[in-house]
């Protein structure tokens, strides 16, 4: 299971000076040995949908399962794997 945190599934709200309200969201996970499962990606998509957003980024230092990547690509979610040095 994955614990619920107070951030509501969002670490960064992306705004534009050309829009009212957020235009996207970002979730960041620093999991060294645990891949991001499709269930976490679906939950993130639910957060996006609940705010009417079509764009999101789910970044991790770990890796994504194949199902999580397929879901991300099908639903407008950018899913980069970040190098450890980016988190220091």
């Amino acid at each position: 299971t994955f614990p619920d945190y107070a951030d509501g599934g969002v670490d960064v709200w992306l705004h534009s000076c050309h829009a009212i309200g957020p235009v996207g969201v970002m979730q960041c996970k620093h999991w060294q040995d645990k891949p991001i499962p499709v269930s976490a990606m679906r939950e993130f998509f639910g957060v996006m949908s609940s705010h009417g957003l079509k764009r999101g980024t789910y970044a991790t230092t770990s890796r994504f399962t194949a199902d999580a990547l397929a879901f991300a690509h099908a639903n407008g979610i950018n899913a980069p794997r970040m190098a450890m040095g980016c988190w220091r």
Side-chain angles (χ1 to χ4, degrees), residues 25-85:
V25 290
M26 183 173 191
Q27 179 71 334
C28 306
K29 294 292 183 200
H30 181 52
W31 294 350
Q32 294 177 341
D33 300 321
K34 186 169 39 172
I36 304 298
V38 69
S39 59
M41 199 64 74
R42 285 186 182 123
E43 184 177 328
F44 181 65
F45 183 69
V47 171
M48 289 170 51
S49 296
S50 71
H51 293 283
L53 301 172
K54 304 225 182 267
R55 290 183 287 190
T57 297
Y58 200 117
T60 184
T61 54
S62 178
R63 63 193 184 286
F64 298 94
T65 64
D67 288 346
L69 281 175
F71 184 87
H73 293 143
N75 290 286
I77 301 170
N78 183 31
R81 182 175 185 275
M82 308 302 288
M84 288 296 292

